[in-house]
Amino acid sequence: MPCLSLQSVALMEFDEHGPTSPKNWRDQERDNPGINDPGMGDPGLGNPGMKGSLGDRSEQVPLPNPYAKPAQADWPQGQDGSSDAKSDVLGNPYLSGSSAFLSRRRLWTPFAMGVVALMVFFVSSLVMALAAVLVVHGTISMELLRDPEQLMSVSRSRLGLLIMVVLPQFALVTPAVIAAFLSPTPMLRRLSLVRGHWPLWAWLAAALATPLVGLASSLVVGLFMDESESLKEMSSIFRAHGASGFLIPLALMIGATPAICEEILFRGYIQTRLTAALHPVIGILIASFLFAVFHLDLVHVVAVFPMGVFLGFVSWRSGSLVPAMLGHFVNNVISVIAVVLAPEGETDVLGAPALMISLGIILAGIMGMAATMVAATMYGKPRDPEGPIELSTAPSSTVLNHV
């Protein structure tokens, strides 16, 4: 390409469409009559963005501006194939300022949420324990709080147990619900409380398979670790309530409350964020580890970690939190019933009369696990719950087509 001298550059004129020739356009037509004929003449330094007659300024085509913002039609399409600017709030590279700050690739939010939720849980547990003591005994004193037997009597009270177990669980999940409500993604979709792409039979299969995972991990942990004192106290409390005719309400309470609250926090909020920012396997493992650590007791932590991994896989693969919630619920209900029916001091899950329950868990679990793997293979990978949606064509009735 020939170089231009400084004099020729100085003579060049500029307008809003780019550089023009140093001569008047009509002078060029006079000096070179063939300039308007694409087959004749030499356009010389003519504007490459021009078309048609060089003397007709109305037909100029401006040169593309490399710094211009792309037109909406040229924006990258979202994962659902939509090119609507509103549908890609979380992933559009052309967004700037506060919208770009909402990127779903942030890693600190799930860990910060876990810390905040645990702090809220511990504070609320202390407050609810004091409230339960006040409700059961009618007073609060240091002597009363120092007496283990008096504190144990609070747990054996139905109302006291309800206050100490249920209310802190709802406090645990409250920060995640608030954060999901404030998220640009619809709240239920943000927490994976959606229909997903698995059929109902796959949900039931995953629910039946979950107790088998819990039973297997308990058997393995029992080979190396003895039952902790806290688990023994919990079993004693469950037996006391079961003997008083409170078995079914107790099983439903212990089954439903953690299944809803813990799943929304650890797999609905934390895991969804982690799997969007990291590899799904890494996200599931981290969320399952946090879920296990939440139980505090070392034996309980080791025993529930495999179940957390399985529930995390089910939730991620199905694209919905509901199968994991069902599995958690079924596992807890069966665990409470098995503990109450087993003789006091009996820790062998295969001992009579818990043997029949264990055999039922094994048979149903094998079929459920096989069906779960079939569903995971048949229905493929899930749609990213953090991905974009078409806001203009997804009314609330569609978004809320969940459970």
Side-chain angles (χ1 to χ4, degrees):
M1 177 178 180
C3 297
L4 299 178
S5 65
L6 294 177
Q7 182 179 6
S8 62
V9 172
L11 292 175
M12 294 180 68
E13 299 176 0
F14 290 84
D15 58 16
E16 67 275 12
H17 300 301
T20 64
S21 171
K23 294 185 178 181
N24 183 276
W25 291 101
R26 297 193 181 279
D27 292 339
Q28 286 194 10
E29 287 186 326
R30 184 184 65 251
D31 297 342
N32 190 357
I35 194 170
N36 291 331
D37 188 347
M40 299 178 60
D42 182 9
L45 296 176
N47 191 332
M50 304 289 292
K51 70 178 181 178
S53 172
L54 294 178
D56 187 1
R57 301 298 297 272
S58 63
E59 296 190 18
Q60 294 185 38
V61 179
L63 290 172
N65 187 347
Y67 302 102
K69 180 178 177 180
Q72 179 175 321
D74 297 329
W75 284 28
Q77 292 187 347
Q79 296 184 16
D80 58 352
S82 170
S83 60
D84 190 350
K86 297 182 296 183
S87 68
D88 205 10
V89 175
L90 296 177
N92 199 307
Y94 298 105
L95 292 177
S96 60
S98 60
S99 296
F101 184 71
L102 295 175
S103 171
R104 65 188 177 96
R105 298 300 176 186
R106 291 177 295 174
L107 280 174
W108 64 268
T109 49
F111 295 103
M113 177 57 62
V115 172
V116 171
L118 291 179
M119 291 177 60
V120 171
F121 175 77
F122 290 138
V123 172
S124 63
S125 296
L126 177 60
V127 173
M128 291 302 106
L130 295 176
V133 171
L134 179 61
V135 169
V136 173
H137 294 285
T139 184
I140 298 179
S141 63
M142 295 303 299
E143 292 77 10
L144 186 62
L145 296 177
R146 292 194 186 101
D147 190 348
E149 290 298 328
Q150 295 294 333
L151 293 178
M152 186 64 66
S153 64
V154 176
S155 300
R156 289 191 171 92
S157 167
R158 297 178 182 180
L159 182 58
L161 183 67
L162 177 68
I163 295 174
M164 295 177 64
V165 172
V166 175
L167 298 184
Q169 284 281 329
F170 283 108
L172 172 73
V173 76
T174 299
V177 173
I178 295 176
F181 177 78
L182 298 176
S183 172
T185 305
M187 184 178 71
L188 295 182
R189 190 164 175 262
R190 177 66 188 80
L191 297 174
S192 292
L193 289 171
V194 295
R195 176 65 177 79
H197 64 284
W198 276 15
L200 294 180
W201 64 263
W203 291 11
L204 298 177
L208 292 177
T210 304
L212 177 62
V213 178
L215 176 63
S217 62
S218 298
L219 290 175
V220 174
V221 171
L223 297 176
F224 305 97
M225 306 175 70
D226 295 330
E227 188 179 20
S228 62
E229 291 300 323
S230 61
L231 290 179
K232 291 179 180 178
E233 292 179 1
M234 185 185 302
S235 300
S236 176
I237 294 172
F238 289 170
R239 291 191 183 95
H241 284 287
S244 65
F246 195 61
L247 174 59
I248 300 302
L250 174 68
L252 294 177
M253 181 178 67
I254 300 299
T257 307
I260 295 173
C261 300
E262 293 177 9
E263 290 302 316
I264 289 178
L265 172 63
F266 291 105
R267 271 164 281 279
Y269 188 92
I270 294 179
Q271 179 177 297
T272 300
R273 299 289 290 188
L274 291 176
T275 53
L278 304 171
H279 191 279
V281 174
I282 299 176
I284 291 172
L285 290 176
I286 294 176
S288 301
F289 174 76
L290 296 177
F291 166 72
V293 170
F294 165 73
H295 293 82
L296 298 178
D297 182 82
L298 179 59
V299 178
H300 208 176
V301 167
V302 177
V304 302
F305 177 74
M307 189 181 73
V309 173
F310 176 74
L311 294 177
F313 169 78
V314 168
S315 177
W316 168 74
R317 194 71 177 183
S318 65
S320 172
L321 183 65
V322 181
M325 296 174 71
L326 289 176
H328 199 155
F329 171 78
V330 172
N331 178 81
N332 285 10
V333 169
I334 293 179
S335 298
V336 171
I337 294 176
V339 166
V340 171
L341 294 182
E344 188 171 359
E346 178 62 64
T347 60
D348 186 4
V349 294
L350 296 180
L355 177 61
M356 298 304 298
I357 298 178
S358 300
L359 290 178
I361 292 174
I362 293 173
L363 294 178
I366 291 175
M367 294 186 292
M369 184 65 70
T372 301
M373 295 301 104
V374 170
T377 303
M378 288 178 56
Y379 296 97
K381 294 182 179 180
R383 182 176 181 269
D384 185 1
E386 289 288 323
I389 60 172
E390 179 64 53
L391 298 182
S392 60
T393 59
S396 58
S397 59
T398 302
V399 176
L400 297 180
N401 185 22
H402 309 320
V403 294

